[in-house]
Amino acid sequence: MREALARACANVALVKYWGKRDELRNLPAVGSISVTLADLVADARVSVGGRDGPRFIGHGRAVEGRAARRMEEYLDWLGRELGTAERLSVEVDTTFPVGAGLASSAAIHCAVAAAAASVLEVAVERGRLSALARVGSGSAARSVYGGWVEWHHGERADGSDSIATPILDEDAWPVSMVVAIVDEGPKDVPSRDAMRHVAETSPLYAAWIASQPPDLAAMRDAIAARDLEAVGTIAEENCLRMHAITFAARPPIVYWSPVTLAAMEAVRGLRRAGCTAYFTIDAGPQVKVLCRPGDAQRVAKTMSEVPGVVRTLSSSLGPGVRLLEGATPWT
Ligand code: 2P0
């Protein structure tokens, strides 16, 4: 049996991916821009040639149900794509809760794609690796790179141009993200299902698609100017617009809890007190706060004092995917 071990960091979108133009390949209906986080890490050990046993082990235990089926399908697809009929299996460990709106699927699928290419000794360009990761989970396309990253909508039907590209690496403009964890349990509606439901039923979906290119352009400019106030303002507006279209679905999907709203208000309070802090929220109740590294402790303290916040995590920006064991399959 051969093995390779890859490590990828989660990423959090500041201009969100919500909606698909192709569900099979996870081709997005909109482009997105994210930051890769150093301290939210997934390790994936992919082995090939094993004959039996569970194919998806998470934190030392066999994963079952829908998550296991989805991973097995992905491993089979990866194998075909990378030219093998051999059985692939994976062991995953993460430093943070899975399935709770903390971008675990991004980190996991990116690490799986990289480890699979390595163990199968297939040389892949980073762009192709991004496309391979994307098929596992859309947002995984972005975890290929560190720092500030854009994932492009792309035009081609095969998705070969719907890949991530780096904007700035993690050292070029350090910022911090404080995650206020409100609920560590799995989310009620997986984002995959929610995206489809929103696209099919929300009367605001078309407006969301139309409003994304200007947000992407403004975000690129704000990052180029290292303007954290502008980045944060665009991120908050984009996040609220994404949640607005889910509220408007029939039946509505609301990922927030009362604690989420209290945490958002705490961020506004920090701003009123002169601290550069802006929130974003994904498909779950957690509130992620973008701030300067020097303010991270203060932000974490304020967020941890919000009644109902279970704990906080703080992270700087992190690197792209890398191999811990096995040859790096890209140059
Ligand atoms: C994002 N999210 O841009 C958005 C914002 C959640 C809210 O990408 O179906 O796990 O595997 O492509 O990537 C979460 O969705 O969905 C997500 P699939 P994914 O980060």
Side-chain angles (χ1 to χ4, degrees):
M1 200 164 74
R2 287 118 57 211
E3 294 184 342
L5 176 64
R7 171 169 291 178
C9 298
N11 70 76
V12 169
L14 302 176
V15 178
K16 305 287 188 194
Y17 153 50
W18 197 259
K20 307 190 191 207
R21 63 184 170 91
D22 178 333
E23 285 205 14
L24 221 56
R25 299 179 182 84
N26 288 330
L27 300 182
V30 291
S32 54
I33 292 177
S34 60
V35 283
T36 303
L37 299 181
D39 297 298
L40 276 66
V41 172
D43 287 348
R45 180 181 295 281
V46 172
S47 46
V48 61
R51 294 196 187 285
D52 44 32
R55 296 180 64 197
F56 182 20
I57 293 175
H59 300 107
R61 286 204 207 142
V63 177
E64 287 170 0
R66 175 178 161 153
R69 283 196 301 281
R70 185 177 148 191
M71 182 59 82
E72 285 168 17
E73 279 171 21
Y74 181 53
L75 290 170
D76 289 342
W77 179 86
L78 263 182
R80 284 195 301 278
E81 197 67 16
L82 295 171
T84 185
E86 287 187 282
R87 183 177 189 267
L88 297 177
S89 51
V90 65
E91 285 177 45
V92 169
D93 281 297
T94 61
T95 59
F96 60 99
V98 168
L102 287 170
S104 56
S105 72
I108 290 169
H109 289 90
C110 185
V112 169
S118 175
V119 73
L120 294 170
E121 298 178 14
V122 179
V124 289
E125 306 257 313
R126 284 228 181 204
R128 173 141 187 250
L129 182 63
S130 178
L132 292 172
R134 185 200 70 229
V135 173
S137 187
S139 50
R142 300 185 305 237
S143 282
V144 167
Y145 294 104
W148 303 76
V149 181
E150 178 162 3
W151 170 24
H152 302 272
H153 170 277
E155 301 302 329
R156 294 186 205 135
D158 69 0
S160 54
D161 58 349
S162 183
I163 59 174
T165 54
I167 300 176
L168 286 179
D169 75 30
E170 60 272 26
D171 302 320
W173 183 27
V175 298
S176 288
M177 191 163 269
V178 174
V179 183
I181 298 183
V182 170
D183 184 347
E184 310 211 44
K187 61 189 95 166
D188 293 338
V189 188
S191 37
R192 185 160 292 199
D193 301 345
M195 282 188 203
R196 184 186 310 124
H197 176 68
V198 168
E200 285 171 356
T201 69
S202 177
L204 304 186
Y205 185 67
W208 160 254
I209 305 287
S211 69
Q212 195 77 338
D215 271 11
L216 288 165
M219 184 61 87
R220 284 184 214 114
D221 289 349
I223 294 168
R226 311 282 206 276
D227 182 343
L228 193 59
E229 284 82 3
V231 165
T233 302
I234 298 159
E236 278 195 5
E237 289 174 0
N238 187 268
C239 155
L240 292 174
R241 203 175 305 123
M242 184 201 100
H243 285 273
I245 69 168
T246 72
F247 293 170
R250 297 192 189 104
I253 296 171
V254 178
Y255 280 115
W256 302 352
S257 80
V259 184
T260 310
L261 280 164
M264 289 157 69
E265 190 44 39
V267 175
R268 294 190 191 101
L270 278 164
R271 278 213 294 279
R272 283 194 296 275
C275 178
T276 308
Y278 293 87
F279 64 77
T280 189
I281 303 157
D282 292 300
Q286 335 306 348
V287 175
K288 294 141 190 177
V289 189
L290 187 70
C291 63
R292 299 192 204 287
D295 289 332
Q297 246 183 329
R298 171 186 182 187
V299 170
K301 182 169 185 293
T302 299
M303 300 314 292
S304 67
E305 287 166 356
V306 174
V309 167
V310 179
R311 64 187 176 106
T312 60
L313 298 169
S314 295
S315 183
S316 54
L317 300 192
V321 65
R322 58 213 182 276
L323 266 297
L324 302 184
E325 292 172 24
T328 300
W330 57 86
T331 49

